[in-house]
Amino acid sequence: DAKTTQPTSMDCAEGRAANLPCNHSTISGNEYVYWYRQIHSQGPQYIIHGLKNNETNEMASLIITEDRKSSTLILPHATLRDTAVYYCIVRVASDRGSTLGRLYFGRGTQLTVWP
Amino acid sequence: EAGVTQFPSHSVIEKGQTVTLRCDPISGHDNLYWYRRVMGKEIKFLLHFVKESKQDESGMPNNRFLAERTGGTYSTLKVQPAELEDSGVYFCASSRRINEQYFGPGTRLTVT
């Protein structure tokens, strides 16, 4: 089901930028890229999503390549609390009456932020 | 705004017994989803409600699982009879639109 490829694990020093890559070479024109994360023992948490333009919010930035076959989630100043499994998910955009609400979670990337 | 809540947080039952999990979505969210993660596996979609209607239940593993959302508010997920392979963490999520799903803390189910 999952149509993305992510590294199994990464680490990052506290205070530095964490750059998490994702490959989605078979992405369709109407599919968005979503990022969620799961901090240990908690439910998944929405981070950001985008179609083709770069996006930024209070949590992170999302950089999508021009051909849309890959993207990078950037946590600009990682903290210890950002240690989590990060999931890159591609999915058709919301549409009124759409039945395509499901999210496909792959294995994700275990990000470890160290002091 | 209160988040998605789930009850119980933890349930331990014997094989063959029945368990009912409850999810209270964020107020005003018409979309409600159930997911689960069984040991060592990925988080898997179970079903999607829009208000009280089942929009997509293609992820339900078998007929031992029954989900309801009477009145379009809270939802219950009943497992009857429970089997060992049902052990895992069951997550509920809700959304106003499909884009951003807000997840609850999950219910950890242990079947012995």
Side-chain angles (χ1 to χ4, degrees):
Chain A
D1 294 329
K3 297 186 289 184
T4 64
T5 303
Q6 299 177 251
T8 302
S9 64
M10 296 182 64
D11 58 21
C12 173
E14 188 177 23
R16 305 297 292 268
N19 299 285
L20 292 93
C22 178
N23 287 321
H24 31 80
S25 58
T26 61
I27 193 170
S28 301
N30 62 345
E31 288 182 316
Y32 279 57
V33 179
Y34 290 78
W35 283 84
Y36 281 75
R37 72 180 181 183
Q38 186 178 22
I39 297 171
H40 182 62
S41 297
Q42 299 181 20
Q45 178 189 23
Y46 166 83
I47 301 173
I48 198 168
H49 75 280
L51 182 63
K52 54 183 178 181
N53 297 320
N54 298 336
E55 302 287 345
T56 296
N57 62 20
E58 65 279 3
M59 289 183 67
S61 295
L62 174 60
I63 308 298
I64 302 174
T65 58
E66 191 169 343
D67 63 7
R68 303 210 320 123
K69 293 185 177 182
S70 65
S71 61
T72 301
L73 178 75
I74 301 172
L75 308 178
H77 304 286
T79 71
L80 299 179
R81 289 175 293 180
D82 291 323
T83 292
V85 178
Y86 287 76
Y87 298 96
C88 171
I89 300 168
V90 296
R91 204 191 70 196
V92 175
S94 66
D95 185 16
R96 191 177 297 277
S98 170
T99 62
L100 302 175
R102 60 167 58 190
L103 294 172
Y104 292 103
F105 290 87
R107 293 287 183 179
T109 296
Q110 170 66 58
L111 174 68
T112 302
V113 181
W114 43 276
Chain B
E1 178 180 78
V4 176
T5 57
Q6 295 186 243
F7 182 83
S9 59
H10 205 147
S11 179
V12 181
I13 62 172
E14 293 183 354
K15 175 182 174 180
Q17 290 186 323
T18 298
V19 63
T20 300
L21 313 181
R22 172 170 170 146
C23 169
D24 285 79
I26 294 172
S27 178
H29 283 193
D30 288 340
N31 295 283
L32 187 148
Y33 314 82
W34 284 97
Y35 295 82
R36 74 171 180 176
R37 166 180 267 153
V38 296
M39 184 67 70
K41 299 292 183 64
E42 301 159 11
I43 298 173
K44 293 290 189 182
F45 167 84
L46 295 178
L47 88 161
H48 170 200
F49 282 101
V50 177
K51 297 184 180 179
E52 66 275 9
S53 299
K54 292 177 183 176
Q55 193 74 13
D56 179 2
E57 55 182 326
S58 60
M60 295 287 266
N62 52 60
N63 59 10
R64 295 187 294 104
F65 289 76
L66 175 64
E68 295 181 321
R69 192 183 182 195
T70 306
T73 55
Y74 70 91
S75 174
T76 58
L77 180 65
K78 180 189 290 188
V79 185
Q80 178 182 31
E83 297 289 346
L84 298 179
E85 63 265 25
D86 300 331
S87 295
V89 183
Y90 289 75
F91 294 105
C92 174
S94 74
S95 67
R96 190 182 305 278
R97 301 174 304 163
I98 289 179
N99 276 339
E100 302 167 24
Q101 296 182 21
Y102 297 89
F103 284 76
T107 293
R108 180 171 296 278
L109 174 65
T110 303
V111 183
T112 62

